[in-house]
Structure formats: C-alpha cells, structure tokens
Amino acid sequence: MKEDPMHPDDDLGARLKVLLDPPPPGIDAVRATATARRSHRRRRRATVAAAAVLLLATGATAGIVATGTDPVPPAAPPNYDRCAVRPGAVPPDVTVTAADPTGTRLAGYRVDPAGARSAETVVVRDGTVTVIPAPGTGRPGTPVAVDRSGTVYGWTKTAEEIDSKVPWVYRAGVTRRLPIPAGYAGAGIDGVNARGDVAGNAYRRVGTTVHQTGVVWPAGAHDSPVVTDPGPEFSFVEVAGIADDGTLVGRAASSPDDMTSYTWRPGGPARRLAEPAGGWSARVSGVNGRWAFGHLLNGAGPAAPTRWNLATGAVETFPDVYPSASVVSPDGVLVVNDPRAERVVVVDAAGGVHQLPTPGGRAVAISTDGRTLVGSAMWTCV
Amino acid sequence: MDEREDAEFVDYVSGRLAGWHRAAYALCGSPHRADDIVQATVTGLYRHWLRARSADNLDAYVHRMLVRKHLDEHRRTWARERLLGILPDRPAPDPQPPEERHALRVALAALPRPQRTVIVLRYICDLSVDDTAAVLRYAPNTVKSHTVRGLAALRRILGDTARLR
C-alpha cells in the first residue's frame, strides 16, 4: 500500500504511529452520533424556517427549493464535562445578576466585606468593575439583563414595598427610568428579548392588597408601556419573561393561590404550558429563545427542575437534580444551582447531567452558544 | 435515516473513531480540539450518510472531511482567540513527557501544513500515495514530494535520527 519509489526506506514514517501515542478520545461513537443527530434535526428545522421566510419576503409561491447545501459545519455543542473556571473574571466583591449573550459583559451589585449588599450597582468587563448610576438613593439596583451592545436593564426598589419598584435602562453612561403604566404605582423588569422588547410586572395597591399585571415596553417604543394579561378572566398575573417573538411566559389565575403557567401574546389568547406527568403543576420562571424553564411543584414544594420546548409544547422534568433552575440557553441547556453541594449543575440538551467545577456554586446566565456560564464565577466550556 | 441505517452508521463510526481521533490529534496537537474535529466530521458524515455509504472509497471520503474540518476548526479557533483574548489551545506539556513522543509532537507541529497533512494521512491513517492524493486532490507526485520533504524535515527538526530508530 505504501510503496514509494522516491523513498523506500522510511523507518521514521513507519514508527510515527507508535511514537505519537495520543490520549484516548474524549468522545465515543454513540455520543458522537447522538450529537450529530441533534445537529441534523436543528439544521433541517432552520432550513425549513429560512425557506418559509424567503417565501414570505419575496411573495413567491413556487420554484423555491430548500436545498440545505451550506457546507459549513455547525460547531460541536459544548462539552459540560470540560468546563474550567476563568480566574479573576468575577471580582469577589461583586454579585453578578445578569450577563450579555456572549457572557463577557456582566452586571450586578457590590457586596461589602461582610457579604452584605451595598448600594452600588455595577458592570464588570474583563474583571474591571464600573459603578453605574441607578435610581433610588442609598438602595442597590438589580440588573436583570444585558444586551449585545452593553445596555443594562434592571429595577430598583425605592422603599420596602414591592410597588415601589422603578424600572430603568443604563446605556452609554446614562441611566433612564422607564415609564410606569398609568394607574400603577411601580413596575419591575423581568426579561428582555433579543429584539429589545422589555417585559415585567406593574403593581398597584387596592386597599391592603397589591395587584400586579404584565407590562411590555416594546422595542423602539420604550416610552409607551403596554399592559398585558392572558385574558379578562385572570385577576392575578405574573410575567416571568418574554421570548424573541414577543410571546410572554408567566403565571396567571383568578386567585393568587391557584396560579398556573401560561404563554400568551399581547392581545392574544393564553396557552396553558404542558404539565408534567404525575398530576403536579409546574411553575415557569423564565424563557430564552424557544425554551422556557422552571420547576415542578409537588405537595411539599419545588420537586424537580423543568423545561418546556415552546416550539413543540413538550415538557421535561429532571427529578434527580436539585429543583432550583436558574436559567436556560437558547438550545435548551438548563442551568441549576445546587446549594447543598455548592455546585452548578448543567442539564444538557440531551438530558445529560454535569457538575461544573468549583469554586463557584451559582450561575445566573449562560451565553447564547452555551459555552460561557456566569454567576459566582465564570466558567468556559469547550 | 431509519433505525437500521442509524445502527449501521454507529457501527461504522465505532470501528473508526479511534483512528480518526489519532489523525486529528496528529494534525492539531490537542486532544480536546481533536475531539471537536472528530465530532464535526461525524456530524457532517451523518448528514450525508445515505449518499456517502455508497461511495467507492468511503474511508477516503471521510478522511477528506476530517482534513477539511481540521482547517475549519483552525480558522474558527483563531477567530475566537482574537476576539476573546484567550490563550491559544496548545497541548499542555506533560510533567514528564516521554522524550521521543514529546519531540515528535513538536516536530510535527513545526512542519508546513501540507507536509504535515500528507505525513499524517500516509503514516497515521495508513493511506497509500494514490489514496492520499485523492483525499487532498493533489497529484500523486505532489504527495510523494511532500512525503520526502516532510520526513526529511522531521529528521532535521528532531536532529537525531537514532532517537527514533
């Protein structure tokens, strides 16, 4: 096979394979095939969606064929058994509460040496801390989201009561309050989607009871908040987040003791999120891309982290994982903070469970590519 | 792909994955990046499996994919490193590397890419001159000259051929 008239005596070549002695592969055929299968399905769905967009954009009715001939391979998904803490990325005196989609611009608040929360709201980049102005003298702000341009969205309580919440946006050195809907005393931000729609909850007091409802500050019209609820039959509404197409996720009920998880479009009908088998309900906590997350509630309280695929309506629970889901990636990677083990646990798209290395037991954000997680530390995964 | 075709795919990959990983490792010098290259190759092969499995020389087809994935991975890694300022993913030196293995890794990494690719395909993947030429779309004589120059450069870089005999 290897006859080579120009070099018949290649002793060195013959010994290369033996001498190279590589470490064993970190993947096996079954896992590699499972990853390939998932990637193939995602790609097929994306091709169909792109073809649909093209049809809509051109008004064409025939003659367009989705060929899927793009030769560039998708990057391999992150391996959560190969994550490392990046030293110095999160200063010890900062509690991070949000990060941008790349995981490089962080936001949070400063804590004093005793661990108590100070009044300083901060952004962090490459380990460098900058204090940003936030409304509410002497009270810390809580950043909720950071977008790709570095704009920070958050809220500050100006008093003890929840209806004292003030929503704000920090951009290019300036903090601006978002308007509170007419008839309400305060409002907080709970989610921002990729196009810049801001979603949260507005509060008003009726006698001694605080009522809340959903509110959206639409992208490009942040000065014109829109009150939204899933329907007139719901007296109590709690928005948990907003998907990239403007779909809201949250809970609603006619009484605060009977809250159920829904998705809805402003002005559109509500759709009840699927409930896990077993007869218990599940509480939705947020959304990212087409995935929502939360936890299963049994009679005793939170019982298992849960994720919903909003495209298919499917629900999954993970009863062997601590029931404290923190965030989900656009690909469905579920991040869980386990305070008992002081570890961050990741449930990958296929349902595999991985523990991230210490130090650091709390993650609050995951980058869009799933490779960077941020919280009490910054983890990068290959 | 139905269940039978899927099982056939897993069987094919199972028998060859270690060899692909060895080749990827020889090309890039990092076990983790070798995993990524192999995964990208498996993903690409899965997408085209129904057509690829009837290829005249399936192994050569996959080796061509692997070399391309290596080049893609190399470009992507560079882009990422520049963007984030993360140190390049070089193989960490073993605390006490066996002298020959370490010397070989260094010498392979120092070869010009065409020579290294030809050496890896011929001596790590056991491909013939003609198969290597088919994979890289080179003329057979080009493969031969890269082989001769590559081996000579390896000997020169290693400095002591006796070490490898």
Side-chain angles (χ1 to χ4, degrees), chain B residues 79-154:
Chain B
R80 195 163 60 232
E81 284 159 359
R82 285 178 182 172
L83 187 65
L84 297 180
I86 295 168
L87 287 174
D89 182 13
R90 298 183 194 283
D94 294 322
Q96 292 180 309
E99 188 183 5
E100 289 186 344
R101 191 175 63 193
H102 181 66
L104 177 62
R105 284 205 321 233
V106 172
L108 267 177
L111 288 185
R113 188 184 308 281
Q115 289 178 15
R116 181 164 73 239
T117 308
V118 165
I119 295 288
V120 167
L121 288 178
R122 292 216 51 208
Y123 297 108
I124 305 294
C125 302
D126 290 326
L127 299 193
S128 67
V129 169
D130 288 343
D131 283 345
T132 303
V135 166
L136 298 176
R137 295 189 168 132
Y138 287 166
N141 278 340
T142 307
V143 172
K144 289 175 187 174
S145 64
H146 279 319
T147 305
V148 172
R149 288 179 192 160
L151 288 174
L154 278 182

Side-chain angles (χ1 to χ4, degrees), chain A residues 6-358:
Chain A
M6 293 181 70
H7 197 85
D9 178 25
D10 44 19
D11 232 3
L12 172 56
R15 295 205 61 197
L16 285 181
K17 200 192 304 188
V18 177
L19 285 170
L20 186 68
D21 190 23
I27 56 176
D28 60 50
V30 173
R31 276 196 297 162
T33 303
T35 301
R37 205 179 285 126
R38 280 197 305 277
S39 167
H40 183 59
R41 286 176 188 152
R42 270 203 302 271
R43 186 187 176 84
R44 226 170 25 192
R45 281 196 295 269
T47 304
V48 171
V53 168
L54 190 60
L55 274 167
L56 284 171
T58 60
T61 55
I64 295 174
V65 178
T67 57
T69 54
D70 179 5
V72 179
N79 182 342
Y80 293 106
D81 289 327
R82 291 219 193 118
C83 300
V85 172
R86 198 166 170 189
V90 178
D93 62 343
V94 170
T95 294
V96 172
T97 58
D100 76 346
T102 67
T104 53
R105 300 169 193 253
L106 322 181
Y109 53 83
R110 190 104 74 170
V111 290
D112 67 22
R117 184 172 178 160
S118 83
E120 288 183 339
T121 307
V122 300
V123 293
V124 181
R125 189 164 190 189
D126 297 328
T128 302
V129 180
T130 306
V131 177
I132 64 173
T137 306
R139 289 181 177 271
T142 299
V144 170
V146 184
D147 70 15
R148 285 186 183 278
S149 68
T151 299
V152 182
Y153 302 80
W155 53 262
T156 300
K157 278 206 291 189
T158 56
E160 286 304 313
E161 295 75 20
I162 194 168
D163 59 348
S164 72
K165 274 188 176 180
V166 173
W168 50 261
V169 178
Y170 169 80
R171 182 182 295 128
V174 177
T175 301
R176 197 172 64 84
R177 292 187 185 211
L178 290 181
I180 292 166
Y184 290 83
I189 292 173
D190 291 276
V192 181
N193 67 10
R195 69 184 184 199
D197 297 321
V198 181
N201 294 282
Y203 307 93
R204 64 190 165 96
R205 199 169 285 270
V206 179
T208 56
T209 307
V210 174
H211 281 245
Q212 73 180 67
T213 194
V215 56
V216 174
W217 292 268
H222 285 174
D223 289 330
S224 306
V226 178
V227 171
T228 173
D229 58 47
E233 68 273 35
F234 300 110
S235 322
F236 294 84
V237 176
E238 180 184 77
V239 166
I242 185 165
D244 290 344
D245 67 353
T247 298
L248 292 151
V249 302
R251 299 189 309 145
S254 54
S255 113
D257 301 323
D258 189 27
M259 300 285 268
T260 303
S261 296
Y262 288 94
T263 67
W264 70 95
R265 298 297 299 265
R271 186 165 66 103
R272 194 168 174 155
L273 280 169
E275 298 205 333
W280 301 110
S281 65
R283 174 179 182 150
V284 66
S285 304
V287 64
N288 193 355
R290 62 190 171 86
W291 290 87
F293 72 96
H295 54 257
L296 172 71
L297 291 162
N298 65 16
T306 300
R307 69 184 172 197
W308 290 265
N309 184 330
L310 298 181
T312 65
V315 59
E316 289 174 281
T317 59
F318 302 94
D320 296 331
V321 180
Y322 190 84
S324 176
S326 164
V327 67
V328 70
S329 83
D331 291 324
V333 174
L334 192 58
V335 180
V336 176
N337 297 327
D338 184 347
R340 296 170 311 182
E342 295 187 347
R343 296 288 280 257
V344 175
V345 176
V346 173
V347 181
D348 65 27
V353 177
H354 314 262
Q355 283 197 338
L356 297 192
T358 54

